[in-house]
Every structure is written in structure tokens, then in C-alpha cells.
Amino acid sequence: MKVYNTLTNRKEEFVPIEEGKVKMYVCGPTVYNFFHIGNARPFVVFDTLRRYFKYRGYEVKFVQNFTDVDDKIINRAKEEGITAPEVSEKYIEEYFKDAGALNVIKADVHPKVSEHIPEIIAFVQTLIDKGYAYEADGDVYYSTRKFKEYGKLSGQNVDDLGSGARIAIGEVKKDPLDFALWKARKEESEIAWESPWGMGRPGWHIECSTMAKKHLGETIDIHGGGQDLQFPHHENEIAQSEACNGVPFSHYWMHNGYITIDGEKMSKSKGNFFTVRDIRDHYTGDVIRFFLLSGHYRSPINFSDELMESAKVGYDRIATCKDTLSFLAKNGSDEKMADEDKLIADFDGFRQKFIEVMDDDMNTADAISTIFDLVSAINVAVKDGASKTYAEAALKMIAELTDVLGIFQIEEEDMIGDELQALIDERQAARKEKNWARADEIRDQLAAMGITLKDTPQGVQVIRN
RNA sequence: GGUAGCAUAGCCAAGCGGUAAGGCAUAGGUCUGCAAAACCUUGAUCCCCGGUUCAAAUCCGGGUGCUACCUCCA
């Protein structure tokens, strides 16, 4: 498999550290609010990558943190009159609800910053001991210029960064490029821990370095996150980890593109964002996920009602195909069509195509179009009178591919109640007598209940919307 | 000022050296009691200019336009 490595700016063959295994770390949310559609993209993208690795037989260890110590959480706690831990606990719970709706599988480990303070302190101390960091008034800063390779991920060089007018010069920092590893407490009420430098809390970047090391080791295979974390967050992680451990931090860095609204980046700071919670009022998590995977993960994608609507219709095309197959698997003919065995054998071609495009830097857009091609082939076969056996095989094939993308949640099979069955039977009787008025009345009645009836050669198909 | 990236049909979007996938929308048709779904048919020389090549949407150079990062942000 090839992946685009931000570190080298090119696609590279993926070679794991340990054969057959993948160690992945993905930056998780700061839990002070519901997450928005832009936050959702890396969750979905890297969940899909993880699923694909598993599909290809790798054993994956996947770690995604929760940043539960942060200014924004502290501010939120003040606003709501509750403690910071209460805020983060609440939004961790909400994270799992929305991520679950998006069919994002839980990470093997979801480490929290608040549970890694001793490790973080030790990490910072090592950096001080090695001469990469210094204490100043209870803060600890990283001496950016000491790390010779600083800038290798983002393609920046320290002198250009230094000349940028937008870097504020802190009072106690020795160099404007230095960043905080540890922040001294400013107010008594702030959440803080004991440390060799006094009461305080970790800086933002150090947590990821520490938690990745603890749960995955000093060198990992893949580090993922949004493109906007590339600098400074990931650059700083590299500086911290490699200075501390003396070995490469991550072999591959993968960054997803951002989501735009009317062509502008959506972000919490701009306020032009939509939470997944809100979008879920209009679309299912599956459709949202399908939308997010409909473009290549590195390209920016625009979000709008119109595009979501278009995605929903496309998604329904696949869903309808699956529904039809499920129906035929039960009610279809036992008699095979002439070339049915060949058609079933041809499924492997779609599988191979799917693997080929996913192997190429996880091209989910092409993967989806392969699924559409499969759907077309299936629809033709169904039109030509495919058998029960075909339906079962086709259903299995389509489920195999959609499961890798995670775009269909496993749903409980709906039982058709007696009352509903009675109405359906009555309508069939009415149709037999050509009492179209009554038949349509029943169909409309059920439609109002969110149930669509399709009259097919194999009988009535019941679809719940 | 520094650094990335993008520009393909009405819209979304793949392709990244051999003469343009797929989805949505549109129009016509088939099937159906009517529907629903499905099926068939329907569309682009790829921002502009120059170059390399037998061959370029794909490579190189120069434009133009857009976006992002350099500040908390996925």
C-alpha cells in the first residue's frame, strides 16, 4: 500500500516497523464542546484507514487521545459554573455518541491528558536534562533552535519563522520560537498539578508526545491529524519526541484536508461551523460519513445543504440496492439465470479494483465509484431476474466493501407487525380486485408512517425510511 | 514576507504521459394499474500562454484566479 507522507511530500510504499502490525496515533478532540463536521473528518478518515489495514490483514493498534486539560475547557467551566473535569467528562461522553453515529470504532486506547501528568512531567524533565528545555518563572519552554531538524515536517525553516511578524515575543521566553511545555498556574482556581517547577499544567504539544510514547512506543508507524495541526503542533511533537528519545518519532505523517463553508475554512475560531450533532437532525451518521469519504482525504471539501442532499441521494442508491438484495435473498427465485455463476465470479474484479484504489493512498472517492459500478452490475442482474443465490452472493460482496468504508451500520432487522401485515394483505386484495383507490389509500397511509411499499415481481417489498 | 496546495462537464469528483471513471442534476424512452426502484439513451478536449515528447488534463517554464498554514483550531 502507498500512503502520502507529509514528511517527505510524496507517496511512499507503506512498510511497517513490525511486519503485519501498524501503530497509529491520531490527535483527538479537545473536549469542551460537541465536535463539528471539520473535527469529524480526521475521525472518519483515520477510522477508515484503520479498517482498511485490518481488511488487508494487519493487526492495528490505534490510539486517539482526549485533550481534557486546556484553556478552552477552563473557560467553558467558568461559563457553565462547573469544574473543568465535569466539562471534559460531559463532552467525552458526547464525543462517543456522535462518533458512534458516524460508525467510528473506539480506539484501542483513548488516553486522557489528566491521567498522564507524571509521565508528562518526566518527559519535560528529560528535555531539560538534555538541554532542550529551560524553566522560567514556573513555565518550562522548549528551545526550538536547539533541535536542528525543526521545520522538517512543515517545510519551514526557523529563520523564516523568526521573521514572521505574527509570533508574539513572550516576556520570559528566550526566543520567540520557543513554545511552552509546562505552564505555571495563574489563578488559584485553575486546575493544576504539583511539579518540580511549581503548580501548573502541561502545554498542548507535550501531551501527544508523551501519550504516543507510553501507549505505542518511541517510534510509531503513522501519526495522523488535520492539516492545520501540521504546524506547529506536529512539528513540535517531533521536536519533543526526537530530542527526548533520540529516535525517529513517526515513519509516516498523514494529514487530512479541511472542510470549507462557502470556500472558506470552517473552524471554531471563525464561528462558521456546524456540529455533527446539529447535522444529525437532518442526515444520518452514515450519510455524513459517506459525504466525508466521497472526496480524497487530502483534498478540501466544501460543506453545504445542497452537497449533503446530493450525497444522500447517491447514498440511497447503494442503500436501495442492498434493500432489494435482502428482499430477494428471502423472496427471490430458486432458479438460476443462465450466466449467473459467471456474474458471481466477476464480483472478484470489483474487489480487486477496490483494493487497487485503496492501496493508492486510500482513494475513497474511487473506492466509492467502484461500489457504484458494482451496484450497477447488480441492478442489471436483478432486472434480468437473478436468483436467490445471486442475491445472497451480491449482498455479501457489497457488504464486504461498504464495511471497509464503514458506511453502513449494522441495523436490527425490522419485524413486520401483525397490524402492518394486515394492511399490506388488504391492499394486495384490493389490487387484485383492481380497487386502486383503496390500494393507494393504504399505500399513502403507510407512507405517512414512513413506510414505502414497492410492488415487485417477487411480491411487496417493505422499506422503512 | 515565508511555506504548501488547488483550478476537470450545470454541481460534486477521480484520473497525474497514451487521446476524459463515478455520483447528483437535466432531457427522452422502457417497465409499472398508478407509483417506487431499476434499466437504456443524453453531456467536457481538462483556467490561459509557451515548451519537452511520436504522444500531455497529466512533465517543465511563465501568467491569472482561489485556498490554507506561519496565532487556539481537525
Side-chain angles (χ1 to χ4, degrees), chain A residues 227-291:
Chain A
Q227 214 166 63
D228 49 356
L229 291 184
Q230 190 178 331
F231 189 92
H233 186 55
H234 292 160
E235 195 69 63
N236 291 353
E237 279 187 55
I238 290 175
Q240 294 163 344
S241 293
E242 299 192 352
C244 176
N245 303 326
V247 294
F249 180 33
S250 179
H251 285 335
Y252 303 90
W253 285 83
M254 295 176 72
H255 293 96
N256 61 275
Y258 28 75
I259 292 192
T260 58
I261 301 286
D262 297 327
E264 276 201 351
K265 184 184 159 191
M266 153 161 55
S267 66
K268 282 176 179 169
S269 54
K270 284 191 179 175
N272 61 341
F273 66 92
F274 295 86
T275 64
V276 166
R277 187 59 58 91
D278 287 339
I279 299 167
R280 284 218 277 141
D281 288 342
H282 307 283
Y283 301 96
T284 64
D286 285 347
V287 170
I288 299 170
R289 184 173 177 119
F290 176 82
F291 167 76

Side-chain angles (χ1 to χ4, degrees), chain A residues 98-114:
Chain A
D98 288 332
L102 294 173
N103 210 9
V104 171
I105 300 168
K106 281 192 183 183
D108 295 302
V109 188
H110 276 290
K112 295 174 197 164
V113 178
S114 61

Side-chain angles (χ1 to χ4, degrees), chain A residues 60-123:
Chain A
V60 184
K61 182 159 183 188
F62 188 94
V63 178
Q64 181 181 294
N65 69 291
F66 282 119
T67 299
D68 63 346
V69 178
D70 185 89
D71 283 341
K72 286 174 296 223
I73 296 171
I74 294 168
N75 292 339
R76 185 85 186 200
K78 278 182 197 157
E79 281 167 31
E80 298 194 5
I82 53 179
T83 66
E86 282 169 338
V87 169
S88 54
E89 277 312 308
K90 175 182 171 188
Y91 289 109
I92 285 173
E93 226 172 273
E94 301 297 348
Y95 165 86
F96 282 120
K97 288 184 196 165
D98 288 332
L102 294 173
N103 210 9
V104 171
I105 300 168
K106 281 192 183 183
D108 295 302
V109 188
H110 276 290
K112 295 174 197 164
V113 178
S114 61
E115 294 170 356
H116 293 74
I117 302 298
E119 290 91 340
I120 289 172
I121 289 171
F123 203 116

Side-chain angles (χ1 to χ4, degrees), chain A residues 162-178:
Chain A
S163 67
R166 292 155 97 184
I167 292 176
I169 297 175
E171 296 139 40
V172 294
K173 283 193 212 175
K174 291 181 184 168
D175 187 303
L177 291 178
D178 295 350

Side-chain angles (χ1 to χ4, degrees), chain A residues 26-234:
Chain A
V26 176
C27 292
T30 300
V31 279
Y32 70 104
N33 201 348
F34 296 107
F35 65 82
H36 61 64
I37 183 75
N39 299 313
R41 174 120 96 142
F43 304 154
V44 167
V45 161
F46 292 106
D47 178 69
T48 304
L49 183 63
R50 175 193 191 185
R51 285 167 183 262
Y52 185 64
F53 273 124
K54 282 189 179 168
Y55 177 67
R56 297 308 306 282
Y58 285 93
E59 186 184 311
V60 184
K61 182 159 183 188
F62 188 94
V63 178
Q64 181 181 294
N65 69 291
F66 282 119
T67 299
D68 63 346
V69 178
D70 185 89
D71 283 341
K72 286 174 296 223
I73 296 171
I74 294 168
N75 292 339
R76 185 85 186 200
K78 278 182 197 157
E79 281 167 31
E80 298 194 5
I82 53 179
T83 66
E86 282 169 338
V87 169
S88 54
E89 277 312 308
K90 175 182 171 188
Y91 289 109
I92 285 173
E93 226 172 273
E94 301 297 348
Y95 165 86
F96 282 120
K97 288 184 196 165
D98 288 332
L102 294 173
N103 210 9
V104 171
I105 300 168
K106 281 192 183 183
D108 295 302
V109 188
H110 276 290
K112 295 174 197 164
V113 178
S114 61
E115 294 170 356
H116 293 74
I117 302 298
E119 290 91 340
I120 289 172
I121 289 171
F123 203 116
V124 173
Q125 189 59 55
T126 303
L127 287 172
I128 293 175
D129 294 345
K130 290 196 172 184
Y132 283 100
Y134 57 91
E135 186 265 335
D137 291 350
D139 291 340
V140 180
Y141 293 98
Y142 187 97
S143 295
T144 301
R145 285 177 195 274
K146 286 261 173 66
F147 185 68
K148 294 303 171 207
E149 294 181 272
Y150 193 82
K152 67 178 176 180
L153 178 66
S154 54
Q156 314 269 352
N157 75 63
V158 283
D159 295 320
D160 288 338
L161 286 169
S163 67
R166 292 155 97 184
I167 292 176
I169 297 175
E171 296 139 40
V172 294
K173 283 193 212 175
K174 291 181 184 168
D175 187 303
L177 291 178
D178 295 350
F179 57 90
L181 298 172
W182 186 264
K183 294 177 174 177
R185 178 169 67 181
K186 295 190 191 70
E187 292 173 31
E188 277 296 306
S189 60
E190 267 178 32
I191 186 163
W193 290 265
E194 289 270 11
S195 82
W197 320 286
M199 293 297 285
R201 61 193 164 86
W204 176 39
H205 314 294
I206 193 70
E207 20 175 285
C208 286
S209 282
T210 305
M211 293 189 284
K213 179 180 181 177
K214 175 167 182 193
H215 297 285
L216 293 170
E218 295 184 343
T219 301
I220 66 178
D221 289 298
I222 296 176
H223 190 126
Q227 214 166 63
D228 49 356
L229 291 184
Q230 190 178 331
F231 189 92
H233 186 55
H234 292 160

